[in-house]
Amino acid sequence: MGRGRRIPFIWLLLPYYNAILWAVVLAIIFFPVHKQLERLLPGRRNIAALLTVLLCICLVIIPAMIILGSLIQEGTSLHQRISSNEIDLNDHLARFQDALPTFIDNWLNSLKLGGFTELLAKAASGVMRAGQSVAGGVLSFGQNTLQFFISLGIMLYLLFFLFRDGAALGRTIRHTIPLSDAYTRQFVDKFAAVVRATVRGNIIIAVIQGTIGGIAFWALGIEAAPLWGVIMTFLSMLPVVGAVLVWLPVAIWLFIMGAWLKGLILAFIGMLVIGLIDNLLRPPVVGKGTRLPDYVVLISTLGGISLFGISGFVIGPLIAALFISAWSLFEQQQHDEKLETKDTQ
């Protein structure tokens, strides 16, 4: 008999790696809450795990699905309005060109960029392609709705067992890591702390900034405010750049179009509200001892997005947290060995 083909176990997990990833992330973030429920319900692990899963559904999954539905609706509506010329991009861009000083067009011509008219045409075609991409993504989501709910079911099912058997599973993992019990415990604890601080903190702060930005856009009458709010949420997860990539160009647009009051209000909200949230909330939410450096978060997030798509917002910092935890443990081990060498001399 011929030898059967050996299939690595990880290949069986790849089709649902997103569901497994988010189950693990939610389990790490909400595990302290689950431990509190277990203390309140002694001997009822199943009920405690079920209540924690319901808490995750209410606090994370339902709001995420509402945001996703709003994003799909706004993206579809925006694309349809642009395609039907209800929103005339050429008219808006022409008005924008008329409001610009003539020296800017001369400056663009001197750079051999073809003048502002050609740049407007390229910008309009780029927006149309983006709208078509959004529409294609919406259609793809509609066709894969069944797959989405299957992944959601797998995530919730796995999440229940991670809560119920998480302590035993953690002990098994610690025993299989080829390190001493003390170092293994430190490694696992450090990794969990960094994940909770970085991932949870970044997501909370980004959601707050995106929500404020979306509400500001809606109050100022800017088109597709929920869509821009979601975009600002994702961009806010990137250090250094963040939501300023959205609200600043819009504020400049408002100034050039003569809407000075709206531009001033948006600039005020962007600088003094959205900008200060990061400085005010990050220290208490993330902490200083467990947070990843901003440059590590930025590079790991961009790398994660390029490799894993939208889930890279979480996978990138997770891999970075794992690396930083291993590095910190190695550094501490080297320090301990030096102290032992000095004591023996």
Side-chain angles (χ1 to χ4, degrees), residues 102-117:
T102 55
F103 72 88
I104 293 182
D105 192 60
N106 296 331
W107 174 67
L108 291 173
N109 283 322
S110 67
L111 294 177
K112 298 181 180 180
L113 295 177
F116 197 76
T117 304

Side-chain angles (χ1 to χ4, degrees), residues 106-236:
N106 296 331
W107 174 67
L108 291 173
N109 283 322
S110 67
L111 294 177
K112 298 181 180 180
L113 295 177
F116 197 76
T117 304
E118 293 186 17
L119 289 180
L120 290 179
K122 293 178 181 178
S125 63
V127 171
M128 288 299 297
R129 285 196 300 269
Q132 293 171 357
S133 177
V134 170
V138 172
L139 179 61
S140 175
F141 177 81
Q143 293 173 343
N144 296 324
T145 301
L146 178 61
Q147 183 71 16
F148 170 79
F149 282 105
I150 291 175
S151 297
L152 180 62
I154 291 174
M155 185 192 74
L156 295 176
Y157 183 75
L158 177 60
L159 187 59
F160 172 82
F161 288 101
L162 288 177
F163 284 135
R164 194 192 71 174
D165 306 325
L169 181 61
R171 287 192 296 270
T172 302
I173 293 175
R174 285 196 294 267
H175 290 322
T176 56
I177 294 178
L179 294 172
S180 64
D181 290 341
Y183 283 131
T184 300
R185 189 177 298 107
Q186 293 175 16
F187 173 75
V188 174
D189 292 344
K190 176 70 174 178
F191 174 69
V194 171
V195 169
R196 290 194 193 102
T198 302
V199 177
R200 180 190 61 191
N202 285 345
I203 291 177
I204 290 175
I205 294 171
V207 168
I208 293 175
Q209 290 179 320
T211 301
I212 293 175
I215 293 174
F217 275 41
W218 171 79
L220 294 173
I222 297 172
E223 296 284 347
L227 178 63
W228 292 118
V230 173
I231 294 174
M232 280 188 278
T233 298
F234 283 112
L235 290 176
S236 296

